[in-house]
C-alpha cells in the first residue's frame, strides 16, 4: 500500500492485517506506518453512521455549545443518506450553494481515486457547487507572494535543484529554518523511496558545508558538523535584509545578474540603505533583532558571496505574522548573489520538508478524478474558517482585492482535521457552533468527528483498492485491498454515490462506474498521458501483478530556473516584467502598509524580540516526527514519544531552572488564548527564551465549551488566529508568546482517544 509517509508490504493473517513491512526499494523507511495496524480495530474506530442526538431530536440550527458534548445515535446507511441529502437540499434551495462550505483539506489518502477532497468536491459540483478554500496551511504566504516575484510557487516545488546536483556543485548550504530530515518522511500524494537523508548525506560526503539558522540545533542532523547560528524566532527577515545590505555595501552583489534578470533593485536597494525609513539595514541593526552578533552576519554574507551557495527557506518561515517577507527577502538575497539557476546554487523552498523536494523525477501527468466546475465564486483563504463562521458577510482583504465572507449553513468535511491544522482552537470551538449542520467523513473519533452533527464512517487505505501515484515520486504503487472494512464503513465514493442517488444526481456523480471501474479508467487515462511524454506504463492487470512500477529518472539534472538564467528573453518568468521582481508595482499598488512592494521588516505583534511581559517565552509548534500532522496519534509510535501521556515541550536548561521544572514534569503552557498540559523535555539544543511543542496531539479540552485547558498538549490552543497579512491571510501560528509553569497536584487523565457517548434516539427504549 502507498501512504503519505511511505510504501509498505501488507501482511495479512486470518483476515486481519498482521503487520506492515517496509517497501524493498526504500532505504530509509518511515517507522510511522506500522502504527495503523492496531488502529484498524481500535476503540476510536467509527463503525456505523452516527448523528448527534441534539441535532436528530431538534433539527438543524446553531449548536449552542452542544457539539462535542451531546451523545451520538447510531443509524443505518439508508437513513444517513436521506438525512444528508435532505439537509443539503434544504440549504441550497433556501440559501444558495455558497452556504455549503466544503472544508476538506487533502492528506486523507495517498490513493489517486480515493482522495477524499477530490470526491467531495466532485459530488458538490454535481449539486450546484460550494464555497471553497484557497491555499494551504503549509505555505499560504509563499503561495501568494512568490508568484508576484518569480511567476509561480507551486510550479517550482517539483522542479527544485536535486540533491545529486547539490552534492556535486554546492559549496555552502544555508538553511533558514533548519533542515529537519524527519519532516522528509512525508510526501503528499504518496512516497515510494525516501531520499532526503540520503541526499543530505551525499552532500555532506561531497564536501558541502551546511549552516543551520534556527532556534534549535536539532533542526539539522549532526553528520558533517553543521554550523549552528541560533536566531530569535520571527527575525529571519531582518537577518536576510542585513545579508543583502552587506553584499550591497561591500560591492559583493552581482550587478550584472541584477540588471539582466531582475527588476526593482534600485527601489529595494534604497530601502536597504535606509532612504525610505531612515534605518539602514546593517548587520548592527539586525543584531539587535535577531540576537546574532553583527560580525557573524557580515562574515556569513562574505562567505556566501565567495562560494556556490544555496539559500534554503523552510516552509515554516511562512507561518508567522508577515510570513510573506522572509521569502521575498530570501529570493532577493539569492538574486544579489547572482546564483539563481546555477548548478548547486540559488534558492530552494522546503528542502527536507517533504520527500519530493530535490527528488529528481521524470514528470508523468497522471490522471485524477475529474471534479467538474464549481459555479460558486465565493471562497475563503484556508486559514480564515473561524472568521467566516463568526463574521458572515464581513469583509476580508486578499491579494489586493476585497471580498465578503459567505454565510455558511453547512460545513461538509471529508479528509483532514481542522482541530489540528487551525489556530486558536478555543475560538474555533465557538465558531464551529454557528453553522446549522456539520457533516464529516472519517474513520476515527477525533476532535472533529466528535464535534460533528452527522458522522459517516469511511474506509482506510488498507480496506480499498487504489493507485498510489503522484508526479512528485517515481513509483506507482498498486494498492491492494488487504482486509474488509471495519463495521459498516464505506469508501468515500460509495458514501457520496448513495447521497447523490437520493438527490437525483447519481448518474452525474458515478458516470455509471463502480469504484473499481474508476480505478481502471484513471490508469488507462494515465497510460495515454504518460505515452505523450515518452513514458510507457504497463496495462492495469500487469501493473497489479507486479505490485509497483518505477518510472526511470530523467537523464539530466537541471538546476531550478536554469532555462531562465540561460536566456531570460526566451524563457521569461510569468511576472509582469518577465524578470525576478525585487520590487513589484502590482504589490505596491495594493496599498498594504506592511507590504509596500519589496521585502520589508515588520515587527510581529507577538515575538521573542518583545517578550518582557506576562508571557516571556516564544512558542514554536514544530511538525511531529512520529506521525503525519495528527494522523495515527493513537498509534504506538506516536504514543511512545509522549511524556506522561502528553505531548512533549522542549525547554532550555536556563528557562527550566528559572521555573523549577525538572525533566519529565507535567507543565502548564498558557497565554491569553488558552492553556495546555505537556511533558517537559529539557534540552541544551534549544536557545533560551524559546519553547517547542510538536503539533498533532488530538485536541482534548477540559470542560464542555471553549476555553478549556487541553489535557493532551495541542499547541494550537495557544497560537493566534490572525492572517499573516492582508496579502495572503495565511496562518501565523509561529508568532506566539506563552508562559510555562510546573503543574502542582494531580494531572487530569487524557481522554483524547476515548470514543464519544452513545444514546438511544428519542422514543426508543
Amino acid at each position: 500500500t502507498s501512504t503519505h509517509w511511505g510504501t509498505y508490504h501488507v501482511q495479512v493473517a486470518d483476515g486481519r492485517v498482521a503487520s506492515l513491512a517496509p517497501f524493498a526499494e526504500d532505504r530509509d523507511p518511515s517507522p510511522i506506518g506500522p502504527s495503523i495496524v492496531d488502529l484498524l480495530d481500535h476503540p476510536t474506530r467509527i463503525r456505523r453512521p452516527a448523528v448527534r442526538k441534539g441535532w436528530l431530536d431538534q433539527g438543524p440550527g446553531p449548536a449552542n455549545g452542544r457539539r462535542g458534548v451531546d451523545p451520538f445515535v447510531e443509524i443505518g446507511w439508508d437513513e444517513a443518506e436521506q438525512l444528508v441529502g435532505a439537509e443539503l437540499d434544504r440549504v441550497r434551495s433556501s440559501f444558495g450553494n455558497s452556504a455549503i462550505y466544503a472544508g476538506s483539506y487533502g492528506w486523507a489518502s495517498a490513493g489517486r481515486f480515493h482522495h477524499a477532497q477530490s470526491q467531495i468536491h466532485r459530488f458538490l459540483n454535481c449539486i450546484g457547487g460550494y464555497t471553497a478554500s484557497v491555499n494551504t496551511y503549509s505555505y499560504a504566504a509563499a503561495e501568494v507572494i512568490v508568484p508576484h516575484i518569480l511567476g509561480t510557487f507551486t510550479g517550482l516545488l517539483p522542479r527544485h535543484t536535486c540533491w545529486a546536483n547539490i552534492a556535486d556543485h554546492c559549496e555552502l548550504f544555508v538553511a533558514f529554518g533548519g533542515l529537519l530530515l524527519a519532516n522528509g518522511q512525508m510526501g503528499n500524494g504518496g512516497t515510494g523511496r525516501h531520499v532526503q537523508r540520503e541526499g543530505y548525506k551525499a552532500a555532506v560526503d561531497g564536501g558541502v558545508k551546511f549552516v543551520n539558522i534556527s532556534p534549535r540545533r536539532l533542526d539539522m542532523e549532526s553528520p558533517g558538523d553543521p554550523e549552528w547560528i541560533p536566531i530569535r524566532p520571527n527575525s529571519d527577515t531582518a537577518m536576510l535584509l542585513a545579508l543583502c545590505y552587506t553584499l550591497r555595501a561591500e560591492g559583493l552583489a552581482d550587478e550584472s545578474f541584477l540588471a539582466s534578470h531582475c527588476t526593482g533593485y534600485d527601489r529595494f536597494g534604497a530601502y536597504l540603505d535606509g532612504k525610505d525609513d531612515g534605518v539602514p539595514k546593517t548587520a548592527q541593526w539586525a543584531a539587535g533583532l535577531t540576537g546574532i552578533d553583527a560580525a557573524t552576519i557580515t562574515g556569513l554574507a562574505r562567505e556566501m558571496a565567495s562560494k556556490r551557495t544555496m539559500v534554503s527557506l523552510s516552509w515554516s518561515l511562512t507561518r508567522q505574522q508577515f510570513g510573506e517577507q522572509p521569502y521575498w527577502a530570501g529570493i532577493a538575497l539569492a538574486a544579489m548573489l547572482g546564483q539563481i539557476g546555477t548548478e548547486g546554487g540559488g534558492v530552494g523552498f522546503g528542502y527536507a520538508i517533504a520527500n519530493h523536494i530535490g527528488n529528481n523525477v521524470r514528470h508523468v501527468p497522471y490522471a485524477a478524478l475529474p471534479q467538474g466546475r464549481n459555479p460558486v465564486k465565493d471562497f475563503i483563504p484556508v486559514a480564515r474558517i473561524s472568521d467566516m463562521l463568526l463574521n458572515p458577510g464581513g469583509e476580508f482583504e486578499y491579494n489586493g482585492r476585497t471580498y465578503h465572507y459567505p454565510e455558511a449553513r453547512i460545513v461538509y468535511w471529508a479528509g483532514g482535521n481542522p482541530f489540528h491544522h487551525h489556530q486558536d482552537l478555543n475560538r474555533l470551538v465557538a465558531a464551529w457552533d454557528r453553522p446549522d449542520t456539520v457533516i464529516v467523513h472519517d474513520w476515527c473519533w477525533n476532535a472533529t468527528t466528535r464535534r460533528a452533527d452527522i458522522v459517516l464512517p469511511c474506509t482506510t487505505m488498507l480496506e480499498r483498492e487504489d493507485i498510489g501515484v503522484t508526479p512528485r515520486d517515481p513509483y506507482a504503487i498498486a494498492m491492494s485491498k488487504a482486509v474488509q472494512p471495519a463495521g459498516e464503513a464505506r469508501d468515500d465514493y460509495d458514501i457520496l454515490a448513495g447521497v447523490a442517488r437520493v438527490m437525483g444526481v447519481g448518474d452525474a456523480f458515478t458516470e455509471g462506474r463502480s469504484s473499481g471501474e474508476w480505478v481502471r479508467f484513471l490508469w488507462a487515462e494515465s497510460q495515454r498521458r504518460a505515452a505523450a511524454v515518452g513514458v510507457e506504463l504497463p496495462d492495469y492487470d500487469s501493473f497489479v501483478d507486479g505490485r509497483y512500477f518505477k518510472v526511470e529518472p530523467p537523464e539530466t539534472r537541471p538546476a531550478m530556473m536554469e532555462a531562465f538564467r540561460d536566456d531570460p528573453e526566451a524563457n521569461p518568468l510569468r511576472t509582469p516584467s518577465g524578470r525576478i521582481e525585487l520590487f513589484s508595482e502590482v504589490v505596491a499598488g495594493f496599498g498594504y502598509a506592511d507590504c509596500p512592494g519589496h521585502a520589508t521588516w515588520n515587527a510581529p505583534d507577538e515575538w521573542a524580540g518583545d517578550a518582557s511581559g506576562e508571557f516571556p517565552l516564544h512558542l514554536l509548534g514544530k511538525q511531529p516526527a512520529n506521525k503525519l500532522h495528527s494522523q495515527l496519534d493513537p498509534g504506538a509510535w506516536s504514543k511512545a514519544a509522549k511524556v506522561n501521556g502528553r505531548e512533549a515541550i522542549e525547554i532550555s536548561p536556563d528557562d527550566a531552572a528559572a521555573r523549577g521544572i525538572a525533566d519529565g514534569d507535567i507543565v502548564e503552557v498558557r497565554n491569553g488564548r488558552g492553556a495546555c498540559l505537556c511533558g517537559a523535555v529539557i534540552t541544551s539544543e534549544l536557545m533560551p527564551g524559546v519553547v517547542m511543542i510538536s503539533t498533532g496531539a488530538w485536541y482534548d479540552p477540559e470542560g464542555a465549551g471553549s476555553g478549556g485547558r487541553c489535557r493532551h498538549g495541542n499547541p494550537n490552543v495557544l497560537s493566534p488566529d490572525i492572517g499573516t497579512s492582508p496579502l495572503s491571510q495565511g496562518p501565523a501560528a509561529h508568532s506566539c508568546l506563552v508562559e510555562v509553569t510546573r503543574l502542582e497536584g494531580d494531572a487530569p487523565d487524557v481522554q483524547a482517544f476515548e470514543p464519544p457517548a452513545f444514546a438511544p434516539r428519542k422514543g426508543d427504549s
Side-chain angles (χ1 to χ4, degrees):
T1 192
S2 176
T3 72
H4 299 298
W5 51 86
T7 296
Y8 302 89
H9 298 287
V10 186
Q11 298 172 339
V12 179
D14 299 324
R16 299 172 64 89
V17 175
S19 63
L20 299 186
F23 182 40
E25 297 274 307
D26 194 355
R27 299 178 185 177
D28 185 26
S30 170
I32 294 174
S35 287
I36 197 172
V37 174
D38 294 332
L39 300 183
L40 294 175
D41 193 29
H42 192 263
T44 57
R45 192 68 197 267
I46 305 170
R47 298 181 172 276
R48 297 190 66 204
V51 183
R52 182 173 64 85
K53 191 173 187 302
W55 189 94
L56 192 62
D57 291 347
Q58 300 164 19
N64 298 318
R66 302 308 301 173
R67 290 190 181 114
V69 177
D70 284 346
F72 283 86
V73 176
E74 292 187 325
I75 62 174
W77 274 110
D78 288 346
E79 184 178 5
E81 292 167 358
Q82 292 289 336
L83 287 175
V84 173
E87 178 60 358
L88 289 169
D89 263 337
R90 180 188 74 85
V91 168
R92 68 174 178 163
S93 62
S94 298
F95 306 102
N97 281 71
S98 64
I100 303 169
Y101 174 65
S104 308
Y105 182 72
W107 287 114
S109 173
R112 197 67 170 177
F113 174 67
H114 292 291
H115 178 237
Q117 188 179 57
S118 300
Q119 294 283 348
I120 187 62
H121 291 171
R122 175 181 173 85
F123 164 72
L124 291 174
N125 284 337
C126 287
I127 66 166
Y130 59 96
T131 289
S133 63
V134 297
N135 304 138
T136 67
Y137 281 92
S138 296
Y139 42 57
E143 287 178 277
V144 178
I145 190 62
V146 175
H148 288 294
I149 311 165
L150 299 179
T152 181
F153 174 68
T154 55
L156 294 172
L157 295 182
R159 293 173 171 80
H160 266 51
T161 303
C162 70
W163 276 110
N165 189 308
I166 291 170
D168 289 345
H169 301 285
C170 184
E171 297 175 279
L172 179 63
F173 190 107
V174 183
F176 289 87
L179 190 79
L180 188 58
L181 297 179
N183 289 341
Q185 295 176 88
M186 320 306 176
N188 52 315
T191 298
R193 174 181 170 187
H194 290 87
V195 302
Q196 294 297 322
R197 185 168 280 105
E198 181 180 308
Y200 172 64
K201 183 178 185 303
V204 170
D205 292 345
V208 180
K209 177 183 175 181
F210 284 83
V211 179
N212 173 26
I213 301 177
S214 168
R216 185 175 184 259
R217 183 192 296 272
L218 294 178
D219 279 348
M220 186 177 288
E221 291 190 2
S222 59
D225 192 25
E227 179 181 353
W228 179 36
I229 301 178
I231 187 171
R232 199 171 276 151
N234 288 197
S235 67
D236 300 86
T237 299
M239 183 175 184
L240 287 159
L241 292 172
L243 292 168
C244 291
Y245 177 92
T246 302
L247 296 179
R248 179 176 172 84
E250 298 189 3
L252 299 175
D254 189 330
E255 299 285 348
S256 175
F257 183 84
L258 290 167
S260 60
H261 289 73
C262 304
T263 185
Y265 177 57
D266 54 340
R267 300 286 295 274
F268 178 57
Y271 174 73
L272 293 175
D273 295 341
K275 293 180 179 178
D276 293 350
D277 57 7
V279 181
K281 308 309 178 291
T282 64
Q284 290 78 12
W285 165 80
L289 298 168
T290 63
I292 302 168
D293 65 83
T296 298
I297 296 173
T298 55
L300 180 61
R302 294 164 186 159
E303 186 178 10
M304 295 174 81
S306 69
K307 294 180 177 179
R308 182 59 57 87
T309 300
M310 175 63 74
V311 178
S312 174
L313 305 170
S314 169
W315 293 352
S316 62
L317 300 181
T318 70
R319 299 192 296 271
Q320 58 180 289
Q321 195 174 11
F322 315 117
E324 299 83 6
Q325 301 308 320
Y327 265 51
W328 206 341
I331 294 168
L333 173 62
M336 292 180 69
L337 291 169
Q339 298 188 31
I340 289 176
T342 63
E343 292 188 309
V347 66
F349 311 120
Y351 281 105
I353 292 296
N355 186 59
H356 64 275
I357 303 294
N359 192 3
N360 194 30
V361 174
R362 186 185 301 277
H363 181 83
V364 179
Y366 292 107
L369 180 68
Q371 296 180 30
R373 186 182 70 87
N374 183 4
V376 174
K377 303 305 180 186
D378 285 319
F379 73 93
I380 65 167
V382 68
R384 302 273 57 82
I385 181 173
S386 290
D387 285 358
M388 174 188 69
L389 296 175
L390 292 169
N391 303 292
E395 285 188 355
F396 68 94
E397 292 288 324
Y398 174 76
N399 203 14
R401 295 184 63 184
T402 301
Y403 300 90
H404 291 83
Y405 290 119
E407 184 172 4
R409 297 285 180 146
I410 289 178
V411 172
Y412 202 143
W413 213 283
N417 178 4
F419 284 89
H420 157 72
H421 286 291
H422 202 65
Q423 283 67 61
D424 195 349
L425 292 182
N426 290 321
R427 184 171 186 252
L428 179 60
V429 169
W432 204 253
D433 252 6
R434 296 296 186 89
D436 292 350
T437 302
V438 176
I439 306 167
V440 178
H441 298 195
D442 213 319
W443 62 275
C444 51
W445 286 109
N446 55 34
T448 300
T449 47
R450 293 171 70 110
R451 287 166 178 78
D453 298 311
I454 303 174
V455 179
L456 305 176
C458 63
T459 54
T460 70
M461 74 288 291
L462 296 173
E463 298 163 336
R464 58 201 183 210
E465 175 188 352
D466 209 339
I467 309 165
V469 293
T470 168
R472 307 175 188 92
D473 193 274
Y475 290 91
I477 308 298
M479 298 172 64
S480 304
K481 180 177 179 178
V483 292
Q484 294 300 315
E488 299 177 19
R490 292 181 176 180
D491 300 342
D492 290 291
Y493 177 74
D494 292 330
I495 294 171
L496 295 168
V499 179
R501 284 191 297 271
V502 167
M503 300 184 71
V505 294
D507 290 342
F509 177 71
T510 68
E511 296 184 21
R513 296 187 181 98
S514 67
S515 59
E517 289 168 335
W518 266 110
V519 170
R520 285 179 173 270
F521 171 82
L522 293 179
W523 183 256
E525 178 64 14
S526 296
Q527 279 186 288
R528 185 186 67 79
R529 296 184 183 186
V533 296
V535 175
E536 184 177 352
L537 299 178
D539 65 79
Y540 185 73
D541 291 331
S542 299
F543 169 55
V544 171
D545 288 344
R547 302 291 182 90
Y548 70 93
F549 179 81
K550 181 182 179 182
V551 177
E552 293 303 314
E555 295 179 1
T556 60
R557 301 185 303 199
M560 187 173 78
M561 300 179 66
E562 183 177 74
F564 166 71
R565 180 184 184 85
D566 289 345
D567 192 340
E569 296 296 334
N571 303 289
L573 303 181
R574 288 186 291 171
T575 59
S577 65
R579 302 293 196 263
I580 299 169
E581 302 224 342
L582 302 184
F583 181 90
S584 167
E585 295 285 357
V586 172
V587 173
F590 295 160
Y592 298 143
D594 51 32
C595 201
H598 54 70
T600 308
W601 163 254
N602 302 287
D605 295 340
E606 292 184 39
W607 74 298
D610 183 22
S612 58
E614 182 181 0
F615 306 114
L617 300 174
H618 196 128
L619 170 65
L620 296 174
K622 64 186 178 73
Q623 292 297 314
N626 44 37
K627 51 184 171 282
L628 169 58
H629 297 306
S630 64
Q631 289 184 38
L632 307 189
D633 190 35
W637 188 246
S638 177
K639 292 176 76 172
K642 296 185 188 292
V643 178
N644 288 318
R646 292 157 225 276
E647 203 63 47
I649 180 171
E650 296 180 9
I651 186 170
S652 73
D654 290 350
D655 291 326
R659 292 160 175 79
I661 295 170
D663 205 59
D665 280 350
I666 295 177
V667 298
E668 181 179 79
V669 191
R670 62 179 176 82
N671 62 18
R673 288 177 289 272
C676 65
L677 300 179
C678 295
V681 173
I682 300 174
T683 174
S684 59
E685 309 297 327
L686 186 68
M687 66 184 295
V690 180
V691 292
M692 300 192 82
I693 305 173
S694 289
T695 59
W698 282 13
Y699 177 54
D700 184 30
E702 296 176 299
S706 61
R709 180 175 62 176
C710 179
R711 294 168 285 215
H712 196 202
N714 188 315
N716 274 331
V717 301
L718 303 156
S719 56
D721 186 15
I722 58 173
T724 49
S725 81
L727 184 71
S728 70
Q729 296 286 0
H734 293 323
S735 298
C736 180
L737 295 178
V738 300
E739 179 58 290
V740 180
T741 55
R742 183 177 181 274
L743 184 70
E744 301 295 336
D746 295 334
D749 292 336
V750 173
Q751 299 177 22
F753 306 135
E754 297 179 8
F758 293 90
R761 67 194 310 164
K762 185 184 293 184
D764 291 349
S765 58

